[in-house]
Amino acid sequence: MDISYPAETDQFREEIRAFLRRELPDGWAGLGALDEDAAKEFTAWWRTRLASVGYLTPSWPTEYGGAGLSRLQQVVLSEELAGAGVPFNGKNDNFSIKMIGNLLLRFGTEEQKSHFLPRIVSGEDRWCQGFSEPGAGSDLAGLRTAARLDGAEWVINGQKVWTSDARTANWMFVLARTEPGSTRHHGISMLLVPVEQPGIDIRPIKMMTGGDNFNEVFFDGARTAAENIVIGPGEGWRAAMALLGLERGDEAATNPIYFKAEVDRLIQLAQERGRSDDPVVRDQLARAYTRGEIMRYLGLRTLTGWLKGEVPGRDSSISKLYWSEHHKTTTDLGVTLLGAEALAPTGRWPIRHYRADDPTAPNTAASWVGTWMTAISGTIYAGTSEVQRNILSEAVLGLPKEPRPS
């Protein structure tokens, strides 16, 4: 593990800071200082500014709309943007850029890259992920959505659930069984499917946080061109595992920043509520701070390998398990400190429905309660904590596999 930065990164870091000084409004106090409507408007505008200099897709080649930066420069950029309280991208870009865009860069045909990547950068194509199903969430290999080749098109039938941001997407990368009779991870393909067609029905799922970005999606004879397949028929599991590694790789740089800011806000909350001298609370705060520092070093270990060109493997489950359990415990303490006020919270609710609230958000009861609700889901989505522990025990530690029913 390397915890230092080479001297040549200093100049690039100053270039980013100059860009931020030039582009951000006077008196900028971070996204957390804005209300929901203003934050959405700023994020849409900020996305265009990042795209204009290639910072939206920093490591992509320039011919696809990127900046052609090194992985180290991408890490420095992520740190500076997080520190300035500005978003890294816009709506749907977590799926469009970090996931399917990076996957196509690695595995896509030249035709796929030339067609899709510039449209992702421009925002013309907005993507969502069609993986989980009612009977196959954490056990993704149990999926039943099927696709058959009909001439020059795939025809898709089935159902997906928990599909984030499906109603603001016009494309979806879908895992489907393309080999009849196949089981588990065999016979699955990843298809690139246009969303705006008669064979797709999207229904929102209302969450207890009040958000409705989750959806269930029904496929009834939906179609996509035969060439809209990643790697090839039956290679969907390989594509999915590579994609999940990409999803968790660059979080190693940004998660410690967001969660450290959350611990700082938690300490402030304890002081405001007159609980910072309580020995039990002080012990819990110390544990939260210590977990945050451990997360930082876990991130540095991941980044050390990533900067050498390694793709995060099964050990990325360590990061997912660690930050999600830390987040749940930390926000639980925040709600406990609120006491009865947590039953009827007031103030600004979190705009972010993933990870911590924005670092510069006001320390309101609504912020903590909303983030606490989100934190609970963090131990479920992208692989439950129980599944992550199984992966670590079997694939990383080499312990005997759990018996499966015949």
Side-chain angles (χ1 to χ4, degrees):
M1 179 176 67
D2 190 357
I3 63 173
S4 63
Y5 287 88
E8 58 265 25
T9 60
D10 293 341
Q11 180 180 349
F12 180 65
R13 196 179 292 275
E14 182 52 42
E15 290 176 13
I16 301 168
R17 293 175 179 175
F19 168 78
L20 292 169
R21 289 192 296 268
R22 184 172 65 251
E23 299 291 340
L24 289 175
D26 292 337
W28 173 253
L31 200 66
L34 305 179
D35 62 30
E36 185 172 2
D37 290 339
K40 288 180 178 178
E41 182 179 347
F42 174 85
T43 298
W45 171 80
W46 184 245
R47 186 190 192 280
T48 65
R49 303 312 306 141
L50 292 175
S52 69
V53 292
Y55 286 171
L56 185 66
T57 49
S59 63
W60 288 15
T62 55
E63 60 264 34
Y64 300 131
L69 299 180
S70 68
R71 288 191 169 195
L72 180 58
Q73 289 174 314
Q74 183 177 347
V75 170
V76 172
L77 174 64
S78 297
E79 290 177 342
E80 291 299 318
L81 294 181
V86 294
F88 304 93
N89 47 40
K91 187 71 171 174
N92 290 87
D93 281 338
N94 186 57
F95 305 105
S96 302
I97 296 173
K98 187 163 70 171
M99 299 176 75
I100 192 62
N102 284 329
L103 189 71
L104 290 178
L105 269 176
R106 184 178 176 197
F107 290 113
T109 65
E110 193 53 49
E111 291 76 13
Q112 288 172 338
K113 288 187 282 189
S114 298
H115 175 77
F116 287 115
L117 297 184
R119 294 164 64 94
I120 287 174
V121 174
S122 70
E124 185 175 356
D125 286 351
R126 301 171 307 282
W127 290 79
C128 62
Q129 177 188 36
F131 277 20
S132 295
E133 298 184 6
S138 294
D139 183 20
L140 187 57
L143 66 88
R144 293 184 293 179
T145 294
R148 61 179 176 83
L149 198 57
D150 180 21
E153 293 183 313
W154 294 100
V155 181
I156 308 164
N157 290 281
Q159 180 185 355
K160 298 293 180 180
V161 73
W162 310 120
T163 310
S164 301
D165 298 329
R167 283 173 296 135
T168 51
N170 55 5
W171 281 87
M172 180 188 301
F173 48 96
V174 178
L175 287 183
R177 293 203 173 276
T178 52
E179 296 179 16
S182 62
T183 60
R184 303 303 298 164
H185 57 275
H186 303 289
I188 296 173
S189 299
M190 182 182 288
L191 304 177
L192 311 177
V193 183
V195 170
E196 297 167 346
Q197 58 170 300
I200 295 181
D201 181 24
I202 301 174
R203 304 175 189 175
I205 300 173
K206 193 76 170 180
M207 306 301 292
M208 66 179 181
T209 60
D212 59 358
N213 62 312
F214 285 132
N215 303 270
E216 52 183 348
V217 182
F218 298 86
F219 301 87
D220 184 9
R223 292 177 174 267
T224 192
E227 62 268 20
N228 285 341
I229 187 169
V230 181
I231 305 180
E235 296 286 350
W237 192 256
R238 177 186 170 200
M241 293 303 100
L243 183 141
L244 292 175
L246 291 168
E247 178 190 9
R248 293 170 188 163
D250 63 355
E251 290 180 353
T254 57
N255 270 353
I257 296 173
Y258 284 112
F259 290 126
K260 180 183 184 306
E262 184 172 77
V263 171
D264 290 342
R265 294 176 70 230
L266 181 66
I267 294 172
Q268 180 186 356
L269 181 67
Q271 293 169 338
E272 292 171 352
R273 302 288 162 146
R275 301 290 303 280
S276 58
D277 290 333
D278 184 320
V280 175
V281 172
R282 290 178 66 85
D283 181 67
Q284 292 173 309
L285 292 173
R287 289 176 183 271
Y289 177 84
T290 302
R291 289 194 305 267
E293 287 299 292
I294 292 172
M295 188 186 307
R296 182 165 69 91
Y297 283 99
L298 284 173
L300 288 169
R301 183 176 68 176
T302 299
L303 288 172
T304 300
W306 188 70
L307 292 172
K308 295 177 181 177
E310 299 172 4
V311 176
R314 298 286 192 179
D315 56 349
S316 64
S317 292
I318 298 173
S319 174
K320 168 60 173 63
L321 176 64
Y322 196 88
W323 75 252
S324 60
E325 291 292 333
H326 160 79
H327 195 206
K328 184 179 70 171
T329 303
T330 300
T331 55
D332 185 72
L333 176 57
V335 172
T336 300
L337 291 173
L338 291 174
E341 189 177 346
L343 299 175
T346 57
R348 172 192 177 276
W349 287 82
I351 296 172
R352 186 194 305 272
H353 298 289
Y354 174 65
R355 297 190 295 194
D357 198 356
D358 292 292
T360 54
N363 223 4
T364 65
S367 172
W368 280 103
V369 172
T371 306
W372 170 69
M373 292 179 180
T374 300
I376 296 171
S377 68
T379 63
I380 300 171
Y381 64 70
T384 66
S385 292
E386 291 77 12
V387 166
Q388 301 300 340
R389 291 187 179 100
N390 280 347
I391 291 172
L392 290 172
S393 63
E394 296 174 5
V396 178
L397 299 178
L399 298 178
K401 291 189 174 183
E402 221 178 292
R404 293 186 180 274
S406 58

